[in-house]
Amino acid sequence: MREVYQEQLDKLADELAAMSTMVGNAMEQATTALLGADLSLAEQVIDDDMKVDEARARCEEHAFGLLALQAPVAGDLRTVISTIHAAESLERMGDLALHVAKAARRRHPQPVLPEDVKTYFSQMGQVAVKLANRLNQILRTQDVQQARDLEVDDDEMDDLHRHLFSVVMGSEWSHGVSAAVDITLLGRFYERFADHAVSVARRIIYVVTGTMPNSDRP
């Protein structure tokens, strides 16, 4: 019985890891759509968002099933509860990729991004995908050090976001208020994507150590 129970716990980890891949792919595609004003790719991200929602629902169904049928305690209870929180954060990461894709669709056929900020979004997209890929490994291995190291990549995203904001607010900005609003919102979507990745990594640290890391992150 214990062996079957452990298989069920492992399945939860695999489902979360699969979600991290899905949201990473979504943000990669959304960024490509944003940079290239690619309507078909933006539509694909929008259509595929339902798959992320369905994956979260399956994770939660399996987690609540374990709570009801197995009455887990101690470390196993931490795993199940953390799965529920992590699935929520991963779904929100998917929603943030969705927002990026919708911005690309809303402005089509015009590009959303002025040329002088495209490099920032290209780099933020790369960091976002890197975070999702690393999160996949962390969820599968429960490596505490890798989970802690994830915040280094989040710091890189924060630096890019700050520099982007300084450009938008700078005296040389010549693209108007509407573009500034778009850029500010889009930058925030990427920053929040990274923050949620860190939140999931912190949940893994909690599962393994029993202690939630002290942080002002979500």
Side-chain angles (χ1 to χ4, degrees):
M1 289 295 293
R2 177 65 192 181
E3 186 172 319
V4 172
Y5 179 39
Q6 186 59 52
E7 288 177 358
Q8 292 172 324
L9 291 175
D10 292 342
K11 184 177 180 180
L12 286 178
D14 289 341
E15 289 175 335
L16 290 177
M19 282 188 72
S20 72
T21 297
M22 292 171 68
V23 300
N25 289 340
M27 186 56 94
E28 184 174 28
Q29 293 173 339
T31 301
T32 300
L34 183 69
L35 293 169
D38 188 326
L39 179 60
S40 63
L41 193 54
E43 293 283 7
Q44 181 178 329
V45 175
I46 293 165
D47 291 343
D48 286 347
D49 182 65
M50 183 177 295
K51 297 178 183 178
V52 179
D53 297 340
E54 292 170 349
R56 176 191 176 179
R58 286 194 300 271
C59 270
E60 290 185 340
E61 180 181 358
H62 295 154
F64 284 123
L66 283 175
L67 284 175
L69 298 175
Q70 301 290 348
V73 296
D76 290 347
L77 180 60
R78 291 199 303 270
T79 297
V80 176
I81 296 298
S82 292
T83 293
I84 296 169
H85 287 288
E88 179 183 8
S89 289
L90 287 161
E91 185 196 21
R92 288 181 179 177
M93 291 166 73
D95 288 341
L96 290 160
L98 173 68
H99 295 334
V100 173
K102 283 184 173 180
R105 182 179 69 175
R106 184 171 61 250
R107 295 298 185 190
H108 190 271
Q110 299 301 317
V112 182
L113 304 177
E115 286 296 328
D116 48 352
V117 298
K118 280 189 174 182
T119 298
Y120 290 101
F121 283 96
S122 176
Q123 292 175 347
M124 287 193 292
Q126 291 170 18
V127 173
V129 173
K130 180 168 62 173
L131 283 163
N133 289 340
R134 291 186 64 185
L135 198 56
N136 180 292
Q137 292 300 312
I138 291 165
L139 288 163
R140 293 185 186 281
T141 64
Q142 295 194 344
D143 188 311
V144 170
Q145 189 56 54
Q146 284 191 37
R148 291 185 172 127
D149 290 344
L150 196 73
E151 296 204 23
V152 174
D153 290 329
D154 182 49
D155 290 341
E156 184 179 355
M157 182 72 84
D158 290 339
D159 287 342
L160 287 166
H161 184 250
R162 280 192 295 269
H163 290 149
L164 175 67
F165 188 74
S166 69
V167 170
V168 172
M169 298 302 294
S171 59
E172 296 183 4
W173 181 258
S174 61
H175 305 290
V177 174
S178 179
V181 171
D182 281 343
I183 300 309
T184 300
L185 285 174
L186 284 164
R188 183 62 172 159
F189 296 154
Y190 284 89
E191 182 191 37
R192 292 298 296 161
F193 186 97
D195 286 344
H196 282 297
V198 171
S199 178
V200 175
R202 292 178 67 228
R203 284 283 167 188
I204 296 303
I205 296 173
Y206 171 65
V207 166
V208 176
T209 68
T211 302
M212 183 66 78
N214 292 324
S215 175
D216 59 0
R217 301 174 190 269

